[in-house]
Amino acid sequence: MDFRRRAPANQLRPSKAAAAGEPIKAHKQNPAPAKASDALPLPLYLTNGVFFALFFSVAYFLLHRWREKIRTGMPLHVITLSELAAVVSLIASVIYLLGFFGIDFVQSLITGKIPTDEVWDVDDETATKAQFIDDTRRGPCAAAIDCPPAVPKPAPAEKPAPVAVPMPEEDEEIIKAVVTGTTPSYSLESKLGDCRRAAAIRREALQRMTGKSLAGLPLEGFDYESILGQCCEMPVGYVQIPVGIAGPLLLDGIEYSVPMATTEGCLVASTNRGCKAIYVSGGATSVLLRDGMTRAPVVRFATARRAAELKGFLEDPVNFDTLSLIFNKSSRFARLQSIQCAIAGKNLYMRFRCSTGDAMGMNMVSKGVQNVLDFLQTDFPDMDVIGISGNFCSDKKPAAVNWIEGRGKSVVCEAIIKEDVVKKVLKTNVAALVELNMLKNLTGSAMAGALGGFNAHASNIVSAVYIATGQDPAQNIESSHCITMFEAINDGKDLHISVTMPSIEVGTVGGGTQLASQSACLNLLGVKGASRDSPGANSRLLATVVAGAVLAGELSLMSAIAAGQLVRSHMKYNRSSKDVTKLST
């Protein structure tokens, strides 16, 4: 394993001009300042070993001597020549260790930046070269509907390979090591100590390995430190998604401007129209029915009888307090609410539900479940834990258990839309909306065998709000479970509309919610971070806002379909004006 010291980062970090693709001008290299590791004319590992051994040996000697003085009543300030030499050696070793390790660590705590002046390049002979799949798809089509058939074209002339962007000499060495597989791409952050530099090197290596340009993918202007170990691994840039605002949404007497991150034309405009119709009709109201995240491990026994014995133990109310005490040790916010069991042969599925404060709570409930499983092993040593998640939870999959029992936040949102608003704002009538909802959202969904999909496009709004506020986009699957109801009231003059969403999974802390853009969107809604007054209040409020936005989106889209405006509006707002035949791949 070959170790080479990297020169100070300020000498090698590329300038803004270099980042933009301009050639890098040669500049004078300043001599590196003296390092703590230069204290002895020995190899680095021997120098470290000497000072570590010196530190612990003299520390032990002094503690032993001072304990003897305390026992014999001898004053501590009276020291012998050997003790004086030990004190001097201790001070010298502390100075060396602080100089080599501690100073950078202290600076990182004060400045919040990872130190970059002590970085090592390690040639790992066992590392394997990352494999990349060549994406040969053609350019984007302007719309998903009525996409013209591909017209055969003459084979284009071969384009020259992308010209490598000049990089600092040491970065060039690292890039070559990544390309050849000598240095694993995933280890760049830990080896370099500079997340932005690691992303730039990985990006350049990827372009050289694939022969494809990433010119349209931004690199600058993003805090790569904020995602390290939390949001994304092996970054090479970031994707830009426009954020629009729908509203004001008048919900429970409060106005909200709803951020929606989407690339679908008409979506924000349509939701905004629904918000207007709700606003002029007096607003919407919401009800939170349940609040509890779930996790369901699967365990196996030798016989179904033993699985049934554990099921009975878990469902016995006498044991619930003990299990709650064990479960709740995982977090000060985790509070076990219930345990629901199901048996399949000799396998037992245990669905734990708990409150999780303002966090979405998957990690929190998983830790609590692990605590209970460890506790159960004492009384059920023959229990074989197959998996911490047995899909009875059920996470990121459409499932009847979520539709019926709920998961996360269960919310109902409703509004009464006046007759004149239906005619003037929505351009339709109450009878047409009620009939369309029955035949489309209810009957049509039943004909399709829908599971939780008795709505027009709830997932559209849920996905847009989730991306804008830093939620897990994959949980859009169960969070979009929704049944939309339309009913004529007041002798058929007014419209009562409601959405029932049993499994909205959101949080205002953790994950992507701490990123700057997503945090700003949460702040716009007034739900940024954890609620100090009432733990869980912010995440519950966010869930009701999601349901309110879905209510507005459902109302507007259904009105557009009833009035025959859907195709016309999409042709106007959801069609690209560019000639796609001229777009390069």
Side-chain angles (χ1 to χ4, degrees):
M1 188 173 293
D2 179 32
F3 294 84
R4 296 185 300 276
R5 183 185 304 281
R6 183 175 68 84
N10 58 0
Q11 299 178 18
L12 298 174
R13 185 172 290 110
S15 64
K16 293 182 179 179
E22 298 179 9
I24 295 179
K25 297 181 180 180
H27 53 277
K28 184 176 181 180
Q29 297 288 342
N30 296 324
K35 301 292 182 179
S37 56
D38 300 330
L40 295 176
L42 296 174
L44 180 61
Y45 69 95
L46 289 180
T47 304
N48 285 342
V50 168
F51 279 97
F52 269 113
L54 183 64
F55 174 80
F56 287 110
S57 60
V58 298
Y60 175 79
F61 172 75
L62 288 175
L63 290 175
H64 178 74
R65 291 292 298 158
W66 289 341
R67 185 178 63 176
E68 292 297 326
K69 289 183 178 182
I70 293 173
R71 287 181 178 178
T72 59
M74 182 181 299
L76 296 179
H77 64 275
V78 178
I79 59 176
T80 64
L81 184 60
S82 61
E83 292 171 347
L84 179 60
V87 170
V88 173
S89 300
L90 180 66
I91 295 174
S93 61
V94 168
I95 292 175
Y96 171 83
L97 294 175
L98 282 178
F100 191 80
F101 297 108
I103 298 301
D104 286 342
F105 176 71
V106 172
Q107 287 178 351
S108 68
L109 293 180
I110 296 175
T111 64
K113 297 181 179 180
I114 297 177
T116 61
D117 55 337
E118 285 291 333
V119 181
W120 304 98
D121 295 330
V122 182
D123 294 334
D124 188 351
E125 297 179 356
T126 61
T128 57
K129 182 177 179 181
Q131 301 296 320
F132 294 91
I133 300 176
D134 183 10
D135 187 356
T136 58
R137 293 175 295 178
R138 295 294 180 185
C141 189
I145 303 175
D146 299 333
C147 189
V151 180
K153 294 184 179 181
E158 287 190 10
K159 296 182 179 180
V163 179
V165 178
M167 302 287 283
E169 182 178 352
E170 187 172 359
D171 285 358
E172 282 289 345
E173 294 181 6
I174 302 174
I175 292 171
K176 292 176 181 178
V178 173
V179 171
T180 59
T182 307
T183 298
S185 177
Y186 62 80
S187 67
L188 290 176
E189 280 79 5
S190 61
K191 291 181 179 180
L192 299 177
D194 185 340
C195 293
R196 189 263 168 217
R197 181 174 174 231
I201 290 175
R202 181 181 297 112
R203 176 192 182 98
E204 182 61 26
L206 176 63
Q207 292 183 119
R208 297 184 187 183
M209 294 169 67
T210 62
K212 302 295 180 64
S213 173
L214 293 176
L217 185 69
L219 175 67
E220 302 296 341
F222 189 82
D223 182 10
Y224 293 95
E225 309 283 350
S226 65
I227 65 173
L228 181 63
Q230 181 165 267
C231 295
C232 181
E233 299 77 36
M234 300 175 66
V236 294
Y238 59 96
V239 173
Q240 298 168 308
I241 302 179
V243 177
I245 297 296
L249 171 65
L250 183 57
L251 178 65
D252 298 323
I254 302 176
E255 296 181 8
Y256 298 95
S257 296
V258 183
M260 302 176 67
T262 181
T263 56
E264 179 183 349
C266 280
L267 179 59
V268 177
S270 177
T271 307
N272 189 67
R273 183 176 76 149
C275 290
K276 178 182 178 181
I278 293 172
Y279 189 96
V280 297
S281 296
T285 57
S286 64
V287 178
L288 184 77
L289 304 178
R290 286 185 294 263
D291 179 10
M293 182 50 63
T294 63
R295 175 59 85 198
V298 54
V299 299
R300 177 192 294 161
F301 289 91
T303 64
R305 181 180 297 276
R306 283 291 288 166
E309 290 177 3
L310 178 55
K311 179 178 183 294
F313 178 85
L314 295 172
E315 294 178 343
D316 189 344
V318 176
N319 301 321
F320 185 79
D321 289 341
T322 301
L323 296 173
S324 296
L325 184 63
I326 300 298
F327 184 97
N328 297 345
K329 289 181 180 180
S330 62
S331 169
R332 59 194 178 102
F333 297 110
R335 293 296 178 268
L336 184 63
Q337 297 174 348
S338 64
I339 305 175
Q340 179 184 1
C341 297
I343 288 183
K346 58 182 181 178
N347 306 302
L348 178 64
Y349 298 81
M350 303 168 282
R351 192 172 191 255
F352 292 78
R353 179 194 295 273
C354 80
S355 59
T356 57
D358 282 304
M360 184 271 290
M362 284 300 302
N363 293 334
M364 193 182 300
V365 66
S366 296
K367 289 191 293 183
V369 168
Q370 188 62 58
N371 289 345
V372 174
L373 291 176
D374 294 340
F375 171 77
L376 292 175
Q377 290 282 180
T378 303
D379 293 329
F380 296 87
D382 54 335
M383 178 181 71
D384 183 13
V385 179
I386 304 300
I388 190 69
S389 175
N391 273 10
F392 189 47
C393 314
S394 175
D395 186 41
K396 300 171 184 174
K397 291 166 283 292
V401 68
N402 293 337
W403 177 242
I404 298 170
E405 299 292 338
R407 189 171 193 256
K409 278 72 173 170
S410 300
V411 181
V412 178
C413 192
E414 62 181 347
I416 296 177
I417 310 301
K418 302 297 183 181
E419 181 182 24
D420 60 333
V421 175
V422 174
K423 292 180 178 180
K424 295 179 181 180
V425 178
L426 303 176
K427 312 300 182 182
T428 184
N429 60 79
V430 173
L433 284 173
V434 172
E435 181 181 29
L436 176 63
N437 185 72
M438 180 185 67
L439 295 179
K440 170 182 168 62
N441 289 344
L442 304 182
T443 308
S445 296
M447 292 291 292
L451 179 59
F454 297 90
N455 57 79
H457 70 149
S459 63
N460 246 340
I461 290 86
V462 172
S463 294
V465 177
Y466 270 29
I467 295 173
T469 58
Q471 311 304 311
D472 188 341
Q475 290 185 322
N476 161 68
I477 296 175
E478 61 266 39
S479 297
S480 296
H481 281 349
C482 172
I483 182 168
T484 301
M485 305 289 291
F486 284 41
E487 181 182 351
I489 59 174
N490 299 331
D491 298 327
K493 295 182 179 180
D494 300 330
L495 175 70
H496 179 276
I497 176 176
S498 67
V499 291
T500 303
M501 306 180 70
S503 50
I504 300 178
E505 299 167 355
V506 293
T508 57
V509 296
T513 63
Q514 54 87 34
L515 299 178
S517 301
Q518 290 81 345
S519 180
C521 291
L522 289 172
N523 188 57
L524 178 65
L525 293 172
V527 294
K528 178 182 176 181
S531 173
R532 297 183 179 181
D533 300 328
S534 177
N538 282 353
S539 62
R540 289 191 290 268
L541 178 56
L542 178 58
T544 61
V545 171
V546 170
V550 170
L551 184 75
E554 290 287 280
L555 178 61
S556 183
L557 176 59
M558 292 293 288
S559 299
I561 296 175
Q565 299 173 340
L566 180 64
V567 175
R568 185 166 62 252
S569 61
H570 272 261
M571 292 301 101
K572 181 178 180 181
Y573 295 107
N574 199 25
R575 295 285 290 186
S576 174
S577 59
K578 297 181 180 180
D579 185 356
V580 297
T581 62
K582 297 181 180 180
L583 295 178
S584 60
T585 58

mmCIF file with all atom_site columns, all heavy atoms in Angstrom, residues 195-212:
data_model
loop_
_atom_site.group_PDB
_atom_site.id
_atom_site.type_symbol
_atom_site.label_atom_id
_atom_site.label_alt_id
_atom_site.label_comp_id
_atom_site.label_asym_id
_atom_site.label_entity_id
_atom_site.label_seq_id
_atom_site.pdbx_PDB_ins_code
_atom_site.Cartn_x
_atom_site.Cartn_y
_atom_site.Cartn_z
_atom_site.occupancy
_atom_site.B_iso_or_equiv
_atom_site.pdbx_formal_charge
_atom_site.auth_seq_id
_atom_site.auth_comp_id
_atom_site.auth_asym_id
_atom_site.auth_atom_id
_atom_site.pdbx_PDB_model_num
ATOM 1   N N   . CYS A 1 195 ? -15.548 17.240 0.032   1.00 0.00 ? 195 CYS A N   1
ATOM 2   C CA  . CYS A 1 195 ? -16.666 16.608 -0.675  1.00 0.00 ? 195 CYS A CA  1
ATOM 3   C C   . CYS A 1 195 ? -16.865 17.199 -2.065  1.00 0.00 ? 195 CYS A C   1
ATOM 4   O O   . CYS A 1 195 ? -17.185 16.481 -3.013  1.00 0.00 ? 195 CYS A O   1
ATOM 5   C CB  . CYS A 1 195 ? -17.945 16.750 0.145   1.00 0.00 ? 195 CYS A CB  1
ATOM 6   S SG  . CYS A 1 195 ? -17.929 15.809 1.679   1.00 0.00 ? 195 CYS A SG  1
ATOM 7   N N   . ARG A 1 196 ? -16.695 18.509 -2.198  1.00 0.00 ? 196 ARG A N   1
ATOM 8   C CA  . ARG A 1 196 ? -16.878 19.135 -3.510  1.00 0.00 ? 196 ARG A CA  1
ATOM 9   C C   . ARG A 1 196 ? -15.793 18.655 -4.482  1.00 0.00 ? 196 ARG A C   1
ATOM 10  O O   . ARG A 1 196 ? -16.063 18.345 -5.642  1.00 0.00 ? 196 ARG A O   1
ATOM 11  C CB  . ARG A 1 196 ? -16.847 20.646 -3.361  1.00 0.00 ? 196 ARG A CB  1
ATOM 12  C CG  . ARG A 1 196 ? -17.238 21.398 -4.647  1.00 0.00 ? 196 ARG A CG  1
ATOM 13  C CD  . ARG A 1 196 ? -15.988 21.800 -5.390  1.00 0.00 ? 196 ARG A CD  1
ATOM 14  N NE  . ARG A 1 196 ? -16.299 22.265 -6.730  1.00 0.00 ? 196 ARG A NE  1
ATOM 15  C CZ  . ARG A 1 196 ? -15.549 22.036 -7.784  1.00 0.00 ? 196 ARG A CZ  1
ATOM 16  N NH1 . ARG A 1 196 ? -14.451 21.309 -7.678  1.00 0.00 ? 196 ARG A NH1 1
ATOM 17  N NH2 . ARG A 1 196 ? -15.875 22.503 -8.963  1.00 0.00 ? 196 ARG A NH2 1
ATOM 18  N N   . ARG A 1 197 ? -14.558 18.590 -4.011  1.00 0.00 ? 197 ARG A N   1
ATOM 19  C CA  . ARG A 1 197 ? -13.450 18.119 -4.847  1.00 0.00 ? 197 ARG A CA  1
ATOM 20  C C   . ARG A 1 197 ? -13.654 16.654 -5.225  1.00 0.00 ? 197 ARG A C   1
ATOM 21  O O   . ARG A 1 197 ? -13.386 16.248 -6.358  1.00 0.00 ? 197 ARG A O   1
ATOM 22  C CB  . ARG A 1 197 ? -12.132 18.313 -4.101  1.00 0.00 ? 197 ARG A CB  1
ATOM 23  C CG  . ARG A 1 197 ? -10.898 17.876 -4.887  1.00 0.00 ? 197 ARG A CG  1
ATOM 24  C CD  . ARG A 1 197 ? -9.630  18.231 -4.145  1.00 0.00 ? 197 ARG A CD  1
ATOM 25  N NE  . ARG A 1 197 ? -8.455  17.678 -4.821  1.00 0.00 ? 197 ARG A NE  1
ATOM 26  C CZ  . ARG A 1 197 ? -7.523  16.953 -4.231  1.00 0.00 ? 197 ARG A CZ  1
ATOM 27  N NH1 . ARG A 1 197 ? -7.609  16.692 -2.940  1.00 0.00 ? 197 ARG A NH1 1
ATOM 28  N NH2 . ARG A 1 197 ? -6.489  16.509 -4.907  1.00 0.00 ? 197 ARG A NH2 1
ATOM 29  N N   . ALA A 1 198 ? -14.146 15.858 -4.285  1.00 0.00 ? 198 ALA A N   1
ATOM 30  C CA  . ALA A 1 198 ? -14.410 14.449 -4.583  1.00 0.00 ? 198 ALA A CA  1
ATOM 31  C C   . ALA A 1 198 ? -15.458 14.304 -5.672  1.00 0.00 ? 198 ALA A C   1
ATOM 32  O O   . ALA A 1 198 ? -15.325 13.467 -6.572  1.00 0.00 ? 198 ALA A O   1
ATOM 33  C CB  . ALA A 1 198 ? -14.863 13.725 -3.304  1.00 0.00 ? 198 ALA A CB  1
ATOM 34  N N   . ALA A 1 199 ? -16.514 15.125 -5.608  1.00 0.00 ? 199 ALA A N   1
ATOM 35  C CA  . ALA A 1 199 ? -17.559 15.067 -6.634  1.00 0.00 ? 199 ALA A CA  1
ATOM 36  C C   . ALA A 1 199 ? -17.009 15.466 -8.004  1.00 0.00 ? 199 ALA A C   1
ATOM 37  O O   . ALA A 1 199 ? -17.353 14.853 -9.021  1.00 0.00 ? 199 ALA A O   1
ATOM 38  C CB  . ALA A 1 199 ? -18.720 15.977 -6.245  1.00 0.00 ? 199 ALA A CB  1
ATOM 39  N N   . ALA A 1 200 ? -16.150 16.490 -8.026  1.00 0.00 ? 200 ALA A N   1
ATOM 40  C CA  . ALA A 1 200 ? -15.573 16.935 -9.295  1.00 0.00 ? 200 ALA A CA  1
ATOM 41  C C   . ALA A 1 200 ? -14.682 15.853 -9.900  1.00 0.00 ? 200 ALA A C   1
ATOM 42  O O   . ALA A 1 200 ? -14.722 15.600 -11.115 1.00 0.00 ? 200 ALA A O   1
ATOM 43  C CB  . ALA A 1 200 ? -14.783 18.223 -9.079  1.00 0.00 ? 200 ALA A CB  1
ATOM 44  N N   . ILE A 1 201 ? -13.868 15.200 -9.078  1.00 0.00 ? 201 ILE A N   1
ATOM 45  C CA  . ILE A 1 201 ? -12.981 14.136 -9.572  1.00 0.00 ? 201 ILE A CA  1
ATOM 46  C C   . ILE A 1 201 ? -13.801 12.946 -10.056 1.00 0.00 ? 201 ILE A C   1
ATOM 47  O O   . ILE A 1 201 ? -13.529 12.377 -11.115 1.00 0.00 ? 201 ILE A O   1
ATOM 48  C CB  . ILE A 1 201 ? -11.997 13.726 -8.461  1.00 0.00 ? 201 ILE A CB  1
ATOM 49  C CG1 . ILE A 1 201 ? -10.987 14.852 -8.204  1.00 0.00 ? 201 ILE A CG1 1
ATOM 50  C CG2 . ILE A 1 201 ? -11.282 12.428 -8.814  1.00 0.00 ? 201 ILE A CG2 1
ATOM 51  C CD1 . ILE A 1 201 ? -10.060 14.596 -7.047  1.00 0.00 ? 201 ILE A CD1 1
ATOM 52  N N   . ARG A 1 202 ? -14.791 12.570 -9.291  1.00 0.00 ? 202 ARG A N   1
ATOM 53  C CA  . ARG A 1 202 ? -15.646 11.435 -9.688  1.00 0.00 ? 202 ARG A CA  1
ATOM 54  C C   . ARG A 1 202 ? -16.372 11.755 -10.996 1.00 0.00 ? 202 ARG A C   1
ATOM 55  O O   . ARG A 1 202 ? -16.522 10.883 -11.873 1.00 0.00 ? 202 ARG A O   1
ATOM 56  C CB  . ARG A 1 202 ? -16.658 11.140 -8.582  1.00 0.00 ? 202 ARG A CB  1
ATOM 57  C CG  . ARG A 1 202 ? -17.571 9.964  -8.893  1.00 0.00 ? 202 ARG A CG  1
ATOM 58  C CD  . ARG A 1 202 ? -18.570 9.736  -7.786  1.00 0.00 ? 202 ARG A CD  1
ATOM 59  N NE  . ARG A 1 202 ? -17.922 9.384  -6.536  1.00 0.00 ? 202 ARG A NE  1
ATOM 60  C CZ  . ARG A 1 202 ? -17.904 10.173 -5.467  1.00 0.00 ? 202 ARG A CZ  1
ATOM 61  N NH1 . ARG A 1 202 ? -18.507 11.352 -5.496  1.00 0.00 ? 202 ARG A NH1 1
ATOM 62  N NH2 . ARG A 1 202 ? -17.299 9.787  -4.359  1.00 0.00 ? 202 ARG A NH2 1
ATOM 63  N N   . ARG A 1 203 ? -16.834 12.970 -11.134 1.00 0.00 ? 203 ARG A N   1
ATOM 64  C CA  . ARG A 1 203 ? -17.546 13.391 -12.333 1.00 0.00 ? 203 ARG A CA  1
ATOM 65  C C   . ARG A 1 203 ? -16.633 13.292 -13.562 1.00 0.00 ? 203 ARG A C   1
ATOM 66  O O   . ARG A 1 203 ? -17.039 12.753 -14.608 1.00 0.00 ? 203 ARG A O   1
ATOM 67  C CB  . ARG A 1 203 ? -18.027 14.829 -12.128 1.00 0.00 ? 203 ARG A CB  1
ATOM 68  C CG  . ARG A 1 203 ? -18.712 15.488 -13.310 1.00 0.00 ? 203 ARG A CG  1
ATOM 69  C CD  . ARG A 1 203 ? -18.852 16.977 -13.025 1.00 0.00 ? 203 ARG A CD  1
ATOM 70  N NE  . ARG A 1 203 ? -19.535 17.696 -14.078 1.00 0.00 ? 203 ARG A NE  1
ATOM 71  C CZ  . ARG A 1 203 ? -20.820 18.017 -14.057 1.00 0.00 ? 203 ARG A CZ  1
ATOM 72  N NH1 . ARG A 1 203 ? -21.562 17.669 -13.037 1.00 0.00 ? 203 ARG A NH1 1
ATOM 73  N NH2 . ARG A 1 203 ? -21.366 18.702 -15.052 1.00 0.00 ? 203 ARG A NH2 1
ATOM 74  N N   . GLU A 1 204 ? -15.406 13.811 -13.449 1.00 0.00 ? 204 GLU A N   1
ATOM 75  C CA  . GLU A 1 204 ? -14.484 13.778 -14.569 1.00 0.00 ? 204 GLU A CA  1
ATOM 76  C C   . GLU A 1 204 ? -14.093 12.336 -14.914 1.00 0.00 ? 204 GLU A C   1
ATOM 77  O O   . GLU A 1 204 ? -13.995 11.962 -16.094 1.00 0.00 ? 204 GLU A O   1
ATOM 78  C CB  . GLU A 1 204 ? -13.233 14.594 -14.237 1.00 0.00 ? 204 GLU A CB  1
ATOM 79  C CG  . GLU A 1 204 ? -12.216 14.668 -15.358 1.00 0.00 ? 204 GLU A CG  1
ATOM 80  C CD  . GLU A 1 204 ? -12.752 15.311 -16.619 1.00 0.00 ? 204 GLU A CD  1
ATOM 81  O OE1 . GLU A 1 204 ? -13.709 16.128 -16.523 1.00 0.00 ? 204 GLU A OE1 1
ATOM 82  O OE2 . GLU A 1 204 ? -12.232 14.997 -17.707 1.00 0.00 ? 204 GLU A OE2 1
ATOM 83  N N   . ALA A 1 205 ? -13.910 11.510 -13.890 1.00 0.00 ? 205 ALA A N   1
ATOM 84  C CA  . ALA A 1 205 ? -13.582 10.107 -14.139 1.00 0.00 ? 205 ALA A CA  1
ATOM 85  C C   . ALA A 1 205 ? -14.725 9.402  -14.860 1.00 0.00 ? 205 ALA A C   1
ATOM 86  O O   . ALA A 1 205 ? -14.499 8.599  -15.779 1.00 0.00 ? 205 ALA A O   1
ATOM 87  C CB  . ALA A 1 205 ? -13.262 9.406  -12.817 1.00 0.00 ? 205 ALA A CB  1
ATOM 88  N N   . LEU A 1 206 ? -15.955 9.711  -14.459 1.00 0.00 ? 206 LEU A N   1
ATOM 89  C CA  . LEU A 1 206 ? -17.123 9.100  -15.095 1.00 0.00 ? 206 LEU A CA  1
ATOM 90  C C   . LEU A 1 206 ? -17.208 9.497  -16.564 1.00 0.00 ? 206 LEU A C   1
ATOM 91  O O   . LEU A 1 206 ? -17.500 8.654  -17.426 1.00 0.00 ? 206 LEU A O   1
ATOM 92  C CB  . LEU A 1 206 ? -18.394 9.526  -14.350 1.00 0.00 ? 206 LEU A CB  1
ATOM 93  C CG  . LEU A 1 206 ? -19.725 9.055  -14.933 1.00 0.00 ? 206 LEU A CG  1
ATOM 94  C CD1 . LEU A 1 206 ? -19.807 7.538  -14.898 1.00 0.00 ? 206 LEU A CD1 1
ATOM 95  C CD2 . LEU A 1 206 ? -20.896 9.669  -14.177 1.00 0.00 ? 206 LEU A CD2 1
ATOM 96  N N   . GLN A 1 207 ? -16.935 10.763 -16.872 1.00 0.00 ? 207 GLN A N   1
ATOM 97  C CA  . GLN A 1 207 ? -16.999 11.214 -18.261 1.00 0.00 ? 207 GLN A CA  1
ATOM 98  C C   . GLN A 1 207 ? -15.941 10.517 -19.115 1.00 0.00 ? 207 GLN A C   1
ATOM 99  O O   . GLN A 1 207 ? -16.198 10.156 -20.271 1.00 0.00 ? 207 GLN A O   1
ATOM 100 C CB  . GLN A 1 207 ? -16.816 12.739 -18.319 1.00 0.00 ? 207 GLN A CB  1
ATOM 101 C CG  . GLN A 1 207 ? -17.983 13.506 -17.719 1.00 0.00 ? 207 GLN A CG  1
ATOM 102 C CD  . GLN A 1 207 ? -17.829 15.003 -17.856 1.00 0.00 ? 207 GLN A CD  1
ATOM 103 O OE1 . GLN A 1 207 ? -18.632 15.679 -18.482 1.00 0.00 ? 207 GLN A OE1 1
ATOM 104 N NE2 . GLN A 1 207 ? -16.782 15.555 -17.257 1.00 0.00 ? 207 GLN A NE2 1
ATOM 105 N N   . ARG A 1 208 ? -14.767 10.325 -18.547 1.00 0.00 ? 208 ARG A N   1
ATOM 106 C CA  . ARG A 1 208 ? -13.713 9.661  -19.314 1.00 0.00 ? 208 ARG A CA  1
ATOM 107 C C   . ARG A 1 208 ? -13.999 8.173  -19.498 1.00 0.00 ? 208 ARG A C   1
ATOM 108 O O   . ARG A 1 208 ? -13.673 7.592  -20.536 1.00 0.00 ? 208 ARG A O   1
ATOM 109 C CB  . ARG A 1 208 ? -12.369 9.862  -18.616 1.00 0.00 ? 208 ARG A CB  1
ATOM 110 C CG  . ARG A 1 208 ? -11.954 11.319 -18.539 1.00 0.00 ? 208 ARG A CG  1
ATOM 111 C CD  . ARG A 1 208 ? -10.577 11.483 -17.919 1.00 0.00 ? 208 ARG A CD  1
ATOM 112 N NE  . ARG A 1 208 ? -10.252 12.902 -17.700 1.00 0.00 ? 208 ARG A NE  1
ATOM 113 C CZ  . ARG A 1 208 ? -9.096  13.333 -17.220 1.00 0.00 ? 208 ARG A CZ  1
ATOM 114 N NH1 . ARG A 1 208 ? -8.127  12.460 -16.924 1.00 0.00 ? 208 ARG A NH1 1
ATOM 115 N NH2 . ARG A 1 208 ? -8.890  14.634 -17.037 1.00 0.00 ? 208 ARG A NH2 1
ATOM 116 N N   . MET A 1 209 ? -14.605 7.551  -18.509 1.00 0.00 ? 209 MET A N   1
ATOM 117 C CA  . MET A 1 209 ? -14.886 6.117  -18.606 1.00 0.00 ? 209 MET A CA  1
ATOM 118 C C   . MET A 1 209 ? -16.024 5.825  -19.580 1.00 0.00 ? 209 MET A C   1
ATOM 119 O O   . MET A 1 209 ? -16.004 4.807  -20.272 1.00 0.00 ? 209 MET A O   1
ATOM 120 C CB  . MET A 1 209 ? -15.229 5.560  -17.219 1.00 0.00 ? 209 MET A CB  1
ATOM 121 C CG  . MET A 1 209 ? -14.069 5.599  -16.231 1.00 0.00 ? 209 MET A CG  1
ATOM 122 S SD  . MET A 1 209 ? -14.583 5.231  -14.545 1.00 0.00 ? 209 MET A SD  1
ATOM 123 C CE  . MET A 1 209 ? -15.055 3.525  -14.704 1.00 0.00 ? 209 MET A CE  1
ATOM 124 N N   . THR A 1 210 ? -17.020 6.704  -19.630 1.00 0.00 ? 210 THR A N   1
ATOM 125 C CA  . THR A 1 210 ? -18.194 6.463  -20.469 1.00 0.00 ? 210 THR A CA  1
ATOM 126 C C   . THR A 1 210 ? -18.109 7.146  -21.818 1.00 0.00 ? 210 THR A C   1
ATOM 127 O O   . THR A 1 210 ? -18.834 6.776  -22.747 1.00 0.00 ? 210 THR A O   1
ATOM 128 C CB  . THR A 1 210 ? -19.471 6.944  -19.759 1.00 0.00 ? 210 THR A CB  1
ATOM 129 O OG1 . THR A 1 210 ? -19.379 8.362  -19.533 1.00 0.00 ? 210 THR A OG1 1
ATOM 130 C CG2 . THR A 1 210 ? -19.653 6.240  -18.431 1.00 0.00 ? 210 THR A CG2 1
ATOM 131 N N   . GLY A 1 211 ? -17.247 8.165  -21.933 1.00 0.00 ? 211 GLY A N   1
ATOM 132 C CA  . GLY A 1 211 ? -17.187 8.929  -23.169 1.00 0.00 ? 211 GLY A CA  1
ATOM 133 C C   . GLY A 1 211 ? -18.398 9.821  -23.363 1.00 0.00 ? 211 GLY A C   1
ATOM 134 O O   . GLY A 1 211 ? -18.649 10.306 -24.468 1.00 0.00 ? 211 GLY A O   1
ATOM 135 N N   . LYS A 1 212 ? -19.191 10.030 -22.317 1.00 0.00 ? 212 LYS A N   1
ATOM 136 C CA  . LYS A 1 212 ? -20.390 10.859 -22.384 1.00 0.00 ? 212 LYS A CA  1
ATOM 137 C C   . LYS A 1 212 ? -20.174 12.117 -21.546 1.00 0.00 ? 212 LYS A C   1
ATOM 138 O O   . LYS A 1 212 ? -19.587 12.078 -20.466 1.00 0.00 ? 212 LYS A O   1
ATOM 139 C CB  . LYS A 1 212 ? -21.604 10.097 -21.837 1.00 0.00 ? 212 LYS A CB  1
ATOM 140 C CG  . LYS A 1 212 ? -21.908 8.793  -22.562 1.00 0.00 ? 212 LYS A CG  1
ATOM 141 C CD  . LYS A 1 212 ? -22.313 9.048  -24.002 1.00 0.00 ? 212 LYS A CD  1
ATOM 142 C CE  . LYS A 1 212 ? -22.622 7.735  -24.734 1.00 0.00 ? 212 LYS A CE  1
ATOM 143 N NZ  . LYS A 1 212 ? -23.770 7.021  -24.170 1.00 0.00 ? 212 LYS A NZ  1
#
